[in-house]
Amino acid sequence: MGICYIIGAGEFGNRVPSPVSGDLVIACDGGYAYCLEKGIGMDLVVGDFDSLGEVPDHPGVIVLNSEKDETDTGWAVMEGLQRGYRKFVIYGGTGGRISHTIANIQLLSDLADKGAEGILMGEHSWYRVIRDGEIHFGARESGFLSVFCLGDRASGVYEEGLKYKLEDAVLTKEYPVGVSNEFTGKESKVAVEKGMLLLVQEDKQA
């Protein structure tokens, strides 16, 4: 199974999705215009189309009710899961209203709860959530890496190969202690034995 790409109407920066055969591309509302501009083929186009201003002429259009519990992106994530996808990349899901960015971070948490993987790509940053697991980074990574506890408590937290080392630490939701660590040109990793962590990588020029 490939990757489910979800394209919203927020910030993109220089990052452009590169889907291949077997991937699923879902454009959400105004993300349709971005995909047209970049020549990205779309399998589905979903939304209430308040951002786009019209229902696009596409064979995979699904019009959602504007009065609904889930966001357009949330609907797209559920659709991807139902189709069997376990890896998700969300573009255009940051910027604009901060409430939408927070909602998309919560979607990453939901994916982690379901044993799936998600990454939210911003203009100068990306966001990931891990639960009871670890993530490895190559030596080419650069910039800042901040780690936050999602939930009451995260125990057995390790940060290795970064500027500041963390070993068997306990993080809580009340106080941030993992802000602005840095990549150092070496392979590195972040791990948590029990709990959920939000990882935020930011470019230094951001």
Side-chain angles (χ1 to χ4, degrees):
M1 186 65 71
I3 297 172
C4 179
Y5 289 94
I6 299 173
I7 318 297
E11 295 177 339
F12 293 94
N14 296 323
R15 299 179 173 94
V16 179
S18 301
V20 298
S21 177
D23 294 338
L24 177 68
V25 179
I26 306 176
C28 295
D29 207 320
Y32 173 78
Y34 175 83
C35 289
L36 283 184
E37 177 188 344
K38 299 298 183 181
I40 301 169
M42 296 162 275
D43 299 292
L44 295 175
V45 182
V46 305
D48 52 24
F49 301 110
D50 56 347
S51 297
L52 193 61
E54 62 180 1
V55 177
D57 182 16
H58 187 279
V61 165
I62 298 174
V63 180
L64 304 178
N65 192 323
S66 59
E67 297 182 0
K68 56 189 184 303
D69 291 333
E70 68 277 350
T71 63
D72 294 346
T73 305
W75 188 97
V77 167
M78 289 191 296
E79 180 68 17
L81 286 169
Q82 289 174 0
R83 293 182 180 222
Y85 287 86
R86 310 304 292 171
K87 294 184 179 180
F88 293 76
V89 182
I90 303 172
Y91 284 84
T94 65
R97 290 164 57 186
I98 186 64
S99 57
H100 284 198
T101 300
I102 294 172
N104 289 332
I105 291 172
Q106 286 191 314
L107 290 176
L108 297 181
S109 301
D110 184 56
L111 286 171
D113 264 340
K114 291 178 167 62
E117 301 175 22
I119 180 168
L120 174 62
M121 307 296 295
E123 185 173 8
H124 296 291
S125 60
W126 62 246
Y127 308 78
R128 294 190 71 165
V129 171
I130 59 173
R131 176 172 185 152
D132 302 347
E134 60 186 42
I135 182 170
H136 293 254
F137 302 96
R140 296 180 62 182
E141 296 290 345
S142 62
F144 299 105
L145 183 67
S146 298
V147 177
F148 302 93
C149 175
L150 294 182
D152 291 333
R153 174 186 173 95
S155 59
V157 179
Y158 295 81
E159 296 184 25
E160 300 176 4
L162 299 164
K163 183 175 181 179
Y164 305 106
K165 185 176 182 180
L166 202 59
E167 186 171 357
D168 198 19
V170 174
L171 303 185
T172 66
K173 68 180 188 300
E174 286 84 9
Y175 191 76
V177 297
V179 179
S180 296
N181 209 335
E182 296 183 45
F183 292 102
T184 61
K186 301 186 296 184
E187 293 186 355
S188 57
K189 81 169 186 178
V190 174
V192 55
E193 293 178 353
K194 186 173 180 59
M196 187 177 290
L197 298 177
L198 168 65
L199 280 62
V200 182
Q201 182 177 350
E202 298 168 288
D203 298 340
K204 284 199 172 182
Q205 63 267 31

